[in-house]
Amino acid sequence: MNKKQCVALLGCGFIGEVHAANLQAHPGVELVWVADAEPVRASAFATRFGARAASVTEAINDTQIDMVLIASATPTHADLLEAAARAGKAIYCEKPVDLSLERARKAVANVLPYNVPVTVGFNRRFDVSHQQLKQQLREGRIGPPELIQMVCRSSTMPPLAYLQASGGQMRDQAIHFFDLLRWLTEEEVTEVAAMGAALALPSIDEFADVDTSTLLLRLQSGALAQLDNTRRTGYGYDERISVMGPHGMLESSTQLQRGVTCYQGAQIQQPGLLPDWFSRVQPTYYAHLDAFIRSLNGEQIADLPGLEDGLKAQAIAEAAVISLAERRFCQVEKHVF
């Protein structure tokens, strides 16, 4: 029987709450410590999830802890990643490693010599539909990808305070799809062109962010990809990926709410889309955690995103940011790992 992994959770915000619930529910995990920059919030979390509150240093360096889950504010990720590695812990780190690609690269370089297991929070790899798409691509069902179209359209704008600290749409929202593109095609992105605007919330233009964007991406093979993102729709959450090859097309489609379709006269009324991004991706957080726990218990897991994946997706995001600012095609940095 596999040993339960004793876990310290760092960060008690929204994503920390998602992870805490999954850690509490997982049969192979014991949530021992929670830590947060606000001790009162950590104490409330500890009571709620059956853990104990501690300082970050105490939680990381407790010898009974096997794994550290970093769900704190993004500017703290790199330092906490390094500290957990020095303590010899397995690490689940929310994306990105840092808002600065250079700092993220340094953190990874500092962590690698400790040879600890690390996964980065690209949980969308564990969407069931996306995984089926990946499997059929691996089987060669449509031949090599030639044209990929991706859609990521959130239903409602995040709070302004979140947007100001997010690093922008490319690093926060689109980066998941940069990772999905690399994972699905098993190719690197070589070139990016991005166009964007602040249409849903014009005030974010003041800190050089956009809420609506379209990107063109070229892969090593010459295959082309298109990604469109928006922070706000008027019709629900819309996420889909289609891949065309010489022998057909595969699509991981947008998802409807469960419900009844009504046919009356000349009209058909169908259930609408899922109301928000979390309704679709919630199961992927548990699936990613479960895959990491199983890997710590010796199982070979093919799709776990690691430090290299984190850096390479962020390199695409950085090229997209430059492309937005300078209105030109931008080469993706090759040697980031």
Side-chain angles (χ1 to χ4, degrees):
M1 184 175 179
N2 291 323
K3 168 187 176 294
K4 277 196 173 186
Q5 300 292 322
C6 292
V7 179
L9 171 65
L10 312 182
C12 299
F14 170 74
I15 292 299
E17 183 175 359
V18 172
H19 287 301
N22 289 333
L23 290 165
Q24 186 184 51
H26 198 288
V29 166
E30 180 182 354
L31 178 56
V32 177
W33 296 113
V34 295
D36 191 82
E38 298 181 16
V40 172
R41 186 161 63 176
S43 180
F45 248 59
T47 300
R48 181 177 171 188
F49 294 104
R52 289 170 283 170
S55 71
V56 168
T57 300
E58 290 172 331
I60 290 176
N61 291 297
D62 185 346
T63 55
Q64 73 172 314
I65 293 299
D66 303 300
M67 169 185 155
V68 172
L69 198 156
I70 301 171
S72 51
T74 299
T76 68
H77 288 183
D79 288 344
L80 294 177
L81 181 67
E82 292 172 342
R86 286 195 298 270
K89 312 302 185 186
I91 306 164
Y92 182 129
C93 182
E94 270 297 335
K95 63 83 193 167
V97 172
D98 193 84
L99 292 177
S100 160
L101 179 59
E102 184 59 30
R103 175 67 182 101
R105 185 190 289 109
K106 289 180 180 178
V108 171
N110 290 336
V111 166
L112 287 176
Y114 293 100
N115 198 32
V116 294
V118 182
T119 190
V120 177
F122 289 123
N123 52 291
R124 276 176 168 83
R125 291 189 182 197
F126 296 88
D127 179 283
V128 173
S129 296
H130 297 344
Q131 289 207 323
Q132 291 175 358
L133 173 59
K134 169 71 170 179
Q135 182 59 37
Q136 293 190 41
L137 286 171
R138 278 178 173 157
E139 293 168 356
R141 184 165 184 180
I142 61 166
E146 295 176 347
L147 184 65
I148 303 99
Q149 293 187 311
M150 301 180 291
V151 170
C152 179
R153 301 177 186 172
S154 295
S155 54
T156 55
M157 288 290 294
L160 182 61
Y162 173 86
L163 294 172
Q164 289 173 321
S166 71
Q169 191 179 46
M170 299 303 108
R171 299 184 184 99
D172 176 57
Q173 183 182 17
I175 194 169
H176 279 288
F177 289 79
F178 300 150
D179 178 69
L180 284 172
L181 180 60
R182 294 185 58 252
W183 172 64
L184 287 167
T185 63
E186 300 181 0
E187 288 193 56
E188 301 300 338
V189 175
T190 61
E191 190 176 18
V192 179
M195 181 178 293
L199 301 178
L201 188 62
S203 62
I204 67 173
D205 186 58
E206 296 174 5
F207 47 92
D209 198 4
V210 298
D211 53 44
T212 308
S213 59
T214 300
L215 295 94
L216 298 175
L217 306 101
R218 188 186 303 276
L219 283 74
Q220 287 171 311
S221 65
L224 300 175
Q226 175 184 312
L227 167 63
D228 76 64
N229 310 270
T230 185
R231 295 284 198 180
R232 183 266 292 131
T233 72
Y235 63 92
Y237 181 67
D238 190 356
E239 176 177 323
R240 45 200 151 98
I241 303 172
S242 67
V243 183
M244 189 193 80
H247 308 306
M249 185 185 80
L250 296 169
E251 182 176 52
S252 175
S253 301
T254 197
Q255 295 179 1
L256 302 177
Q257 300 187 60
R258 293 193 179 102
V260 173
T261 300
C262 178
Y263 297 81
Q264 283 187 323
Q267 294 185 331
I268 301 174
Q269 186 175 14
Q270 294 179 304
L273 302 186
L274 293 171
D276 52 50
W277 67 274
F278 190 63
S279 298
R280 169 141 187 185
V281 307
Q282 183 178 11
T284 68
Y285 285 101
Y286 184 90
H288 187 177
L289 171 68
D290 178 65
F292 190 49
I293 296 300
R294 287 187 284 118
S295 75
L296 297 181
N297 288 323
E299 187 174 338
Q300 294 297 313
I301 306 293
D303 295 322
L304 274 173
L307 291 171
E308 180 176 6
D309 299 304
L311 288 183
K312 289 189 172 181
Q314 190 164 347
I316 302 170
E318 295 306 306
V321 169
I322 294 169
S323 177
L324 273 174
E326 299 182 5
R327 301 189 177 190
R328 64 176 177 87
F329 280 88
C330 186
Q331 300 294 312
V332 177
E333 187 176 345
K334 293 180 181 179
H335 306 294
V336 294
F337 189 73

